[in-house]
Amino acid sequence: MESDHLSEVFDLVEVRGVVSGGFAVRGPWFTEADVSEAMKFTAMVAGRARLWADGVDGPIELEAGDVAIMNARSWLRAEGGGDGPRRRVDPDPRFADAGPVDRSVDDVIIGGRIELNAAGLALLAHALPPVAHVRASAATAGTVQGLLDRMFDEGAGGRAGSAFALRQYGQLLLLEAVRSYVDQAELPPGWLRVLTDERLGPALSLMHADPGGPWGLDALAKAAAMSRTSFAERFRAVAGVPPLTYLHRWRMLLAQKELRDGDARVGALASRLGYGSESAFSTAFKREVGESPLRYRLRHRAAV
């Protein structure tokens, strides 16, 4: 099995898709809200809608199976159901509904937020536009639509264990949305693009499998079956940073994960990640994260 770099990074930055509510409505409707979350998503289970958000020109047309991921937006508005006087509806955390849902007639929407740690927020925010419109495609429509149907049924059904089920479905929906976005969009240089670049994959596998290794351009270029110059140029064009800068940032992500969840001493962690001394590691960590490794560990342990 090939290395799954996207899963590795998702684990490190602790990405979670959290469903906050939904609704089903028939006839002209609208909903609007201020957005406080750094990242929010709206998913169209059935029907059609138009979505607006600050920083976006014109409405985004949502169809069944579409997902919109809002990146650092302050407000949103959506409407649907044809012409005529519109009544306001708001997502309900209990998915409250006035009657049976007919997906052939009703507009059905699920909303939620994307939770991730500070490092992950910086990575994902850089990789996505103000609103990432993930369209249902032939390749993913069945999977995404099935997830959306199950999510709404769980929320509306109120069965035992529904909260747990919604957490799992939210994770899978986010993963499918990111996969689809990678396939559909022209990604800017950054981590999301480099993680899915097939030519650079072998070099990434070396860095991810042995982050403390003495990797240089020659070894990484050889793994990618490219010349040193071609490899360096392609890596920078795809990742937005040189290979060794990417390696440093990967080490820092691993360090943050260990300091939050593990018990390794800082000196042992420094050695494992390829730093010549605890002092060199601590200096690099503080420059990247803004505080020393020990202070970072204590702060996160205190918050648990």
Side-chain angles (χ1 to χ4, degrees):
M1 180 177 177
E2 293 183 359
S3 297
D4 187 352
H5 305 307
L6 186 59
S7 289
E8 290 173 342
V9 173
F10 265 40
D11 284 339
L12 280 177
V13 302
E14 302 173 340
V15 175
R16 295 197 308 154
V18 180
V19 178
S20 57
F23 61 81
V25 60
R26 189 174 303 178
W29 60 271
F30 79 95
T31 187
E32 57 188 14
D34 294 329
V35 178
S36 58
E37 301 92 345
M39 290 207 167
K40 182 177 177 62
F41 70 85
T42 296
M44 202 77 205
V45 182
R48 294 171 176 266
R50 294 175 296 279
L51 175 72
W52 289 263
D54 53 310
V56 178
D57 295 331
I60 295 172
E61 302 287 340
L62 297 178
E63 299 183 354
D66 286 6
V67 180
I69 300 175
M70 280 148 280
N71 179 9
R73 300 300 88 199
S74 62
W75 60 265
L76 67 85
R77 176 185 170 91
E79 64 179 43
D83 297 327
R86 300 187 184 278
R87 64 185 179 98
R88 178 173 182 144
V89 292
D90 293 304
D92 190 292
R94 299 179 305 279
F95 291 73
D97 178 52
V101 177
D102 183 346
R103 287 173 171 80
S104 67
V105 178
D106 298 333
D107 293 325
V108 184
I109 287 181
I110 290 174
R113 65 186 183 276
I114 299 171
E115 292 185 348
L116 63 175
N117 61 36
L121 180 60
L123 289 173
L124 198 57
H126 177 73
L128 297 177
V131 178
H133 181 193
V134 186
R135 296 175 174 83
S137 66
T140 63
T143 301
V144 173
Q145 189 63 61
L147 281 171
L148 292 175
D149 287 337
R150 289 193 291 274
M151 289 169 74
F152 189 82
D153 290 342
E154 283 288 348
R159 300 162 57 199
S162 61
F164 177 81
L166 283 171
R167 287 196 296 271
Q168 309 312 306
Y169 290 145
Q171 293 290 83
L172 291 173
L173 176 64
L174 179 58
L175 175 60
E176 288 297 336
V178 171
R179 283 172 169 170
S180 297
Y181 187 72
V182 168
D183 292 338
Q184 295 172 13
E186 183 65 34
L187 297 174
W191 72 278
L192 193 55
R193 185 171 166 189
V194 74
L195 292 176
T196 55
D197 188 281
E198 293 184 0
R199 290 197 66 189
L200 297 177
L204 286 179
S205 294
L206 289 182
M207 291 188 278
H208 284 213
D210 184 13
W215 303 117
L217 281 179
D218 290 335
L220 296 173
K222 183 178 180 181
M226 301 170 69
S227 72
R228 176 187 170 108
T229 300
S230 296
F231 172 77
E233 290 176 350
R234 180 178 180 87
F235 199 101
R236 182 158 196 151
V238 172
V241 295
L244 299 186
T245 300
Y246 174 90
L247 175 60
H248 165 72
R249 292 179 179 175
W250 176 244
R251 288 169 171 170
M252 291 295 104
L253 284 175
L254 293 171
Q256 290 173 69
K257 175 71 171 177
E258 177 60 32
L259 290 167
R260 287 194 307 270
D261 304 333
D263 296 313
R265 296 176 64 86
V266 173
L269 180 59
S271 177
R272 192 163 78 230
L273 293 178
Y275 291 88
S277 68
E278 181 176 332
S279 175
F281 167 71
S282 295
T283 298
F285 187 91
K286 187 171 184 178
R287 184 183 302 117
E288 181 74 18
V289 181
E291 59 187 336
S292 71
L294 284 177
R295 183 174 292 277
Y296 180 89
R297 168 173 273 170
L298 290 172
R299 181 169 60 82
H300 280 272
R301 296 292 171 87
V304 174

